[in-house]
Amino acid sequence: MGEKLTAHKLAGTWDMVDLPPGKPVVGSHWVYKFKTKSYGTLERCKSRVVSQGNTQQYGINCEETFALVAHMTIVVHFLQRLLQIPYDSAMFIRKSEKGIVLLLLYVDDMVITSSDSEGIKSLKSHLNSCFQMKYLGHLRYFLGIEVNRSSEGYFISQVKYASEIFNRDGLTDSKVSETPLELNVKLNPIDGKALSDPTLYRQLVGSLNYLTITRLNISYAVHIVSQFMSAPRTTHFAAISRILRYIKGTLYKGLQFSSKSDLRLHAYTDSDWAGDVTDKRSTYGYCIFPGNSLISCHSKK
């Protein structure tokens, strides 16, 4: 907490002023988090102070409500030369003669990547001159995604994140499935009994959606169970259980981006004609590989 307050003071985040007459103070709240490594051990303790905006009343202690996010402060101060990517407000790029520097911001964490090593050094030096920065080395774990690098290339996975899903579901048996869905299964909104509390079902679907970042082979199965979020039934929960058992049997799978692959482009596509038993709509999908590294995929009903 002391380090965080010192960092705010050095960065000039706020100014000390007299309280306006008749105006109450908006309180603040400390948020604590244990940041862990990919295999679960403690990396460092983190703290953040936030204002209690829910206590504000318009015209009494505020005229406008501002959402102060750490990375927006960073943008204002020193990212004038970086271009913000229009489809993701947390990503910035800076072009140079030697390549492109990509910066990903997430509250008070950031990732910098580029083929321009000098560009990375320059940006890191500038960041250190503006803020108290803590360099954590090469990217290994970020937002539940594990990154392993070797002479063969990069391998990204979500082993720890997937393991946490099992703990939430209480899946303690040793059963595994060879496929995420039963062959030729056709789920519909009327078979089975309605779940008395759909909360766990919805949480699991949300978690599985995030898991598809590196486990694209479950995308279609997750797409199917996502269609019953409003009124899930026992048959739908059984389908989720099968997906989890498949993940349990393939826990250490992920995406490999090879450093030795050729750049010939390969594309694959497939579709099922009127495959949905409820509305007779089709589902199609494709995936694109330069060499043997998957860079793009899509599935849509």
Side-chain angles (χ1 to χ4, degrees):
M1 291 168 66
E3 291 176 359
K4 180 65 68 174
L5 288 174
T6 300
H8 278 300
K9 183 177 180 180
L10 293 175
T13 305
W14 58 65
D15 295 319
M16 298 296 293
V17 299
D18 292 330
L19 187 68
K23 301 292 184 180
V25 174
V26 175
S28 60
H29 182 72
W30 280 97
V31 178
Y32 304 103
K33 181 180 180 181
F34 292 108
K35 189 172 182 66
T36 60
K37 298 179 182 179
S38 59
Y39 39 87
T41 59
L42 180 66
E43 180 178 331
R44 68 184 189 275
C45 300
K46 299 178 65 175
S47 62
R48 184 179 302 120
V49 61
V50 296
S51 62
Q52 294 175 306
N54 61 302
T55 65
Q56 291 179 315
Q57 298 182 46
Y58 186 81
I60 297 178
N61 52 16
C62 73
E63 299 300 327
E64 296 182 42
T65 300
F66 296 92
L68 299 178
V69 183
H71 76 248
M72 295 308 297
T73 305
I74 296 173
V75 172
V76 170
H77 279 84
F78 62 82
L79 294 186
Q80 289 85 355
R81 293 177 57 195
L82 273 74
L83 174 66
Q84 188 176 37
I85 296 178
Y87 51 82
D88 192 332
S89 60
M91 296 181 69
F92 295 81
I93 60 172
R94 184 170 66 181
K95 298 181 180 178
S96 68
E97 295 179 357
K98 296 182 178 180
I100 294 177
V101 178
L102 174 66
L103 177 63
L104 173 63
L105 301 169
Y106 178 74
V107 190
D108 55 356
D109 286 336
M110 66 179 67
V111 175
I112 305 172
T113 182
S114 176
S115 57
D116 180 7
S117 58
E118 292 300 320
I120 292 180
K121 290 180 181 178
S122 175
L123 182 56
K124 284 168 58 179
S125 175
H126 192 72
L127 290 171
N128 282 320
S129 68
C130 298
F131 295 94
Q132 285 188 322
M133 306 297 296
K134 185 179 294 184
Y135 178 59
L136 301 178
H138 293 296
L139 178 63
R140 294 183 176 86
Y141 187 67
F142 186 67
L143 301 181
I145 301 172
E146 301 160 41
V147 181
N148 294 297
R149 48 182 282 164
S150 68
S151 59
E152 301 295 321
Y154 287 89
F155 179 76
I156 64 173
S157 61
Q158 293 170 278
V159 177
K160 181 175 181 290
Y161 182 82
S163 300
E164 291 171 350
I165 297 177
F166 299 139
N167 294 334
R168 179 188 302 173
D169 184 37
L171 188 66
T172 57
D173 60 50
S174 58
K175 294 181 180 179
V176 297
S177 297
E178 295 184 355
T179 59
L181 279 178
E182 292 182 36
L183 186 63
N184 298 322
V185 65
K186 298 293 182 180
L187 297 177
N188 61 67
I190 58 175
D191 286 347
K193 296 181 179 180
L195 298 180
S196 58
D197 184 1
T199 301
L200 178 59
Y201 182 91
R202 293 166 180 166
Q203 290 175 343
L204 290 173
V205 170
S207 297
L208 290 172
N209 264 309
Y210 189 70
L211 190 60
T212 60
I213 292 175
T214 60
R215 298 301 305 272
L216 301 171
N217 52 342
I218 66 169
S219 294
Y220 176 70
V222 175
H223 155 79
I224 294 296
V225 296
S226 297
Q227 298 179 49
F228 306 102
M229 294 274 281
S230 60
R233 305 177 77 86
T234 52
T235 52
H236 310 143
F237 196 88
I240 282 190
S241 297
R242 185 182 179 95
I243 297 173
L244 291 172
R245 290 190 173 98
Y246 171 74
I247 294 169
K248 189 173 185 177
T250 57
L251 186 61
Y252 296 95
K253 300 291 185 181
L255 291 176
Q256 176 76 29
F257 297 94
S258 175
S259 60
K260 301 178 180 179
S261 174
D262 62 67
L263 295 179
R264 286 180 296 179
L265 203 63
H266 305 275
Y268 304 88
T269 185
D270 196 8
S271 63
D272 68 332
W273 177 252
D276 192 285
V277 296
T278 304
D279 54 22
K280 301 303 180 183
R281 295 176 66 183
S282 307
T283 299
Y284 76 93
Y286 66 79
C287 52
I288 300 174
F289 297 77
N292 56 12
S293 299
L294 178 65
I295 61 166
S296 179
C297 69
H298 184 68
S299 175
K300 185 176 182 179
K301 183 178 177 183

